[in-house]
Amino acid sequence: MRPGGALLALLASLLLLRLLWCSADTPARSRLLEESREATYGTPAALRLLRSPSTPVPRTTNSTYLNEKSLQLMEKCKNLQDSIESLSKKRKGYSEDDYLQIITNVRNCPWKRQAEEYENFRAELASCCDAVENFIVSQNNTPVGTNMSYEVESKTRIQIGENIFNMLPLSQPFVGYPYNQCAVVGNGGILNKSLCGAEIDKSDFVFRCNLPPTTGDTSKDVGSKTNLVTVNPSIIAIKYGNLKEKKAVFLEDVATYGDAFLLLPAFSFRANTGASFKVYYTLEKSNARQKVIFFHPKYLKDLALFWRTKGVTAFRLSSGLMIASVAVELCENVKLYGFWPFSKTVEDTPVSHHYYDNKQPKRGFHEMPKEYSQILQLHVKGILKLQFSKCEIA
């Protein structure tokens, strides 16, 4: 090393000693400084950066506040089941605003499928009703010669002869059972502008009710895929003129459902039988792709008794609750869309009764709010999931 370089090195060492001496006023502080220096030099650069004075220290007060808010939310979510049950038991009727407040709280709670709750409820349904074997009339569960009682007019019977027997599938025709993801699509006006169509169409099996429209711009909100659609015989009479002059319109409308099953309650009332059989023969003669199947009256009777024990005491269950019950037995995951029996949203926006019209149901026929409270309870328990608002677009 050159003499000049040695002198510069000596001066630098003296300056460093001076700085260390000034910063370490006591032996304890000196030792602390040395330990700190050793610890720092032995630490990776990323960790040294985390320890640097410029890195903000987490604020304990905010963390505590968030924890308290989370605990409050968890407690509120736990109490929702009791709130829904108490509301459904009100004897003086119900208030839409009461329901909408609870739904607001439900929407704020995270939903998670609860496998044990799901299996318990499915087992409960299977033990009473057994949709897998019994929800439709088949050759397996209704042999020739059966003297079958009607669901509602139970004192009236119908003899199953060869003609009726030949209309029936050999057994339940759902070859993909059990389905992974199922969508049960109601007809509530809440579906308008929901953009749920794409999500619905991704489902493995899609249930619909009462021949709703699914074409054109409507499909963006409700989807177009249909595997099973219920048909109320009153629609055949009112909308399609008992398949006389409007038979072609009926066939055109039904064609939009592709290979779907058309499910009719042929044996609920005597008046339903002729109309239901006419649908069957009309499709058969037209070589239509759709297949007609019939609700089993005993299944519907057992299902009504099941829901009666839970407080739904109306004259008859709605198609939506019937199909949602079937879906729980046939599917591993069930999501409900368009189930909304209220005249407005939680944001106080008016909602039409159906997404395609505003015709109200007959009074006293169904018990929609009480049915909805049961469905809300299934949602809160993690058995099925309700879609309350717009769908997220992927």
Side-chain angles (χ1 to χ4, degrees), residues 129-364:
C129 310
D130 192 5
V132 175
E133 295 296 332
N134 297 327
F135 110 85
I136 65 165
V137 185
S138 70
Q139 293 181 0
N140 276 359
N141 61 33
T142 311
V144 173
T146 300
N147 201 19
M148 190 163 63
S149 295
Y150 280 84
E151 175 207 348
V152 180
E153 299 168 324
S154 56
K155 292 182 180 179
T156 304
R157 295 175 176 271
I158 183 169
Q159 188 83 17
I160 304 300
E162 289 285 349
N163 287 343
I164 298 176
F165 184 78
N166 290 334
M167 294 184 193
L168 311 177
L170 177 63
S171 59
Q172 66 91 357
F174 309 110
V175 293
Y177 158 83
Y179 301 97
N180 179 33
Q181 184 68 46
C182 291
V184 181
V185 186
N187 297 330
I190 197 77
L191 275 171
N192 282 323
K193 300 180 181 178
S194 68
L195 300 177
C196 287
E199 184 176 303
I200 290 169
D201 286 347
K202 287 179 183 176
S203 304
D204 299 303
F205 200 95
V206 179
F207 300 86
R208 298 186 190 273
C209 300
N210 297 330
L211 298 180
T214 59
T215 56
D217 288 343
T218 301
S219 64
K220 290 188 297 186
D221 297 326
V222 306
S224 58
K225 182 177 180 177
T226 306
N227 298 96
L228 182 150
V229 58
T230 67
V231 184
N232 190 324
S234 65
I235 295 174
I236 302 302
I238 296 168
K239 186 175 180 179
Y240 297 110
N242 289 318
L243 301 182
K244 294 177 182 177
E245 69 279 3
K246 294 185 178 179
K247 182 173 76 172
V249 177
F250 170 75
L251 290 171
E252 187 179 337
D253 288 350
V254 166
T256 63
Y257 300 120
D259 294 324
F261 292 100
L262 269 60
L263 175 62
L264 293 102
F267 308 110
S268 292
F269 302 89
R270 282 177 297 176
N272 287 356
T273 307
S276 299
F277 287 0
K278 196 159 192 176
V279 171
Y280 174 90
Y281 287 120
T282 298
L283 292 175
E284 185 185 49
K285 288 177 183 177
S286 303
N287 294 316
R289 294 164 60 190
Q290 302 75 35
K291 301 298 180 185
V292 171
I293 53 178
F294 305 125
F295 267 121
H296 200 297
K298 186 178 185 307
Y299 172 80
L300 292 181
K301 195 179 295 185
D302 291 342
L303 188 66
L305 288 173
F306 171 84
W307 284 112
R308 187 174 289 273
T309 64
K310 299 185 182 300
V312 181
T313 58
F315 176 67
R316 199 154 186 268
L317 300 178
S318 69
S319 299
L321 186 57
M322 292 175 186
I323 293 302
S325 303
V326 169
V328 169
E329 287 201 66
L330 294 185
C331 312
E332 298 298 334
N333 299 276
V334 178
K335 189 167 183 181
L336 272 52
Y337 303 81
F339 279 65
W340 192 260
F342 310 113
S343 64
K344 58 186 178 181
T345 67
V346 293
E347 293 84 15
D348 212 29
T349 304
V351 174
S352 61
H353 187 67
H354 297 133
Y355 67 81
Y356 47 85
D357 67 34
N358 199 29
K359 291 180 182 176
Q360 300 296 315
K362 291 180 181 178
R363 285 191 174 184

Side-chain angles (χ1 to χ4, degrees), residues 63-79:
S63 177
T64 304
Y65 174 74
L66 288 173
N67 286 338
E68 287 176 359
K69 292 289 284 184
S70 298
L71 289 172
Q72 288 173 7
L73 179 62
M74 286 173 63
E75 193 62 32
K76 181 182 279 189
C77 294
K78 282 182 184 177
N79 295 332

